[in-house]
Amino acid sequence: YRAAKQSSQIFNTTYDKWLFLFGGTVFIQLLVLATGGFQSPFLILIHLFMICISFFLSFSISVIFLLFCFIVILADMSFYHGVIELLLKNPSTILLQVVSLLSIIPLAYIISQQYHAKDILSRLLKKKVETTESIFNTVNEMIIVTNAEMQILSVNAAAVHILQQSR
């Protein structure tokens, strides 16, 4: 339990979350822009990354990511001189891409509210730990928990009581 608790804290620092978010955003934006912006075959990565962000971090951060993606793609389109030709030539594709990017917002919200992985795992782990600790502390027999190297990790109240009496 203690080792799992320490290892789960690796990604819990604010610095790590923002570094993951920044790195993922830069990678996806560069990939989408380098392969055609709204016409990129990798535009679906924006959808998937937004769902991942809402699943592991929060819905508000995923919306900020989506807004940032819109800003970057629109800025790229404004610098691209053929954007008027693109819009006139194939307006339905651009409209479809914009609608698909906007339609991902409710899905990300549902995921973040109903299936938030961190909260579910935290609740399950807390319940399991509480059950184990209550059994561990209420047993009248001496229990000593060791690791593979036979170092004592924990003892229950009965073990403390028995070992103190034997001194």
Side-chain angles (χ1 to χ4, degrees):
Y1 160 70
R2 291 183 181 110
K5 187 176 180 181
Q6 290 171 352
S7 67
S8 70
Q9 292 175 350
I10 292 172
F11 190 66
N12 285 343
T13 64
T14 305
Y15 175 74
D16 291 340
K17 288 179 184 178
W18 288 109
L19 185 64
F20 168 74
L21 183 63
F22 178 74
T25 301
V26 167
F27 173 74
I28 290 173
Q29 288 297 327
L30 288 175
L31 186 63
V32 168
L33 293 178
T35 57
F38 271 120
Q39 294 182 323
S40 173
F42 297 108
L43 194 65
I44 190 73
L45 290 177
I46 292 174
H47 299 78
L48 296 175
F49 197 67
M50 183 177 177
I51 290 172
C52 288
I53 291 170
S54 66
F55 193 66
F56 290 109
L57 298 176
S58 74
F59 175 71
S60 58
I61 293 174
S62 65
V63 170
I64 291 170
F65 165 75
L66 185 64
L67 291 175
F68 181 72
C69 290
F70 269 126
I71 291 169
V72 169
I73 290 174
L74 291 175
D76 179 59
M77 289 177 67
S78 68
F79 291 121
Y80 178 63
H81 298 293
V83 78
I84 307 264
E85 295 170 12
L86 177 68
L87 289 172
L88 293 174
K89 183 174 108 179
N90 202 357
S92 61
T93 302
I94 301 298
L95 182 63
L96 181 64
Q97 295 293 355
V98 170
V99 168
S100 71
L101 285 173
L102 291 176
S103 66
I104 199 73
I105 294 173
L107 180 64
Y109 180 75
I110 291 169
I111 287 173
S112 69
Q113 295 300 315
Q114 299 293 327
Y115 303 104
H116 205 268
K118 185 171 39 173
D119 295 336
I120 293 170
L121 293 175
S122 175
R123 274 188 265 128
L124 290 173
L125 181 61
K126 184 178 179 181
K127 183 178 178 182
K128 185 70 172 171
V129 167
E130 287 172 355
T131 304
T132 304
E133 285 180 352
S134 68
I135 293 170
F136 187 73
N137 289 327
T138 58
V139 172
N140 291 330
E141 286 79 25
M142 182 170 66
I143 299 175
I144 300 174
V145 180
T146 63
N147 61 10
E149 289 83 31
M150 299 304 291
Q151 296 173 337
I152 296 175
L153 299 176
S154 183
V155 296
N156 68 344
V160 171
H161 181 69
I162 293 169
L163 293 174
Q164 285 181 348
Q165 283 182 351
S166 66
R167 285 187 181 185

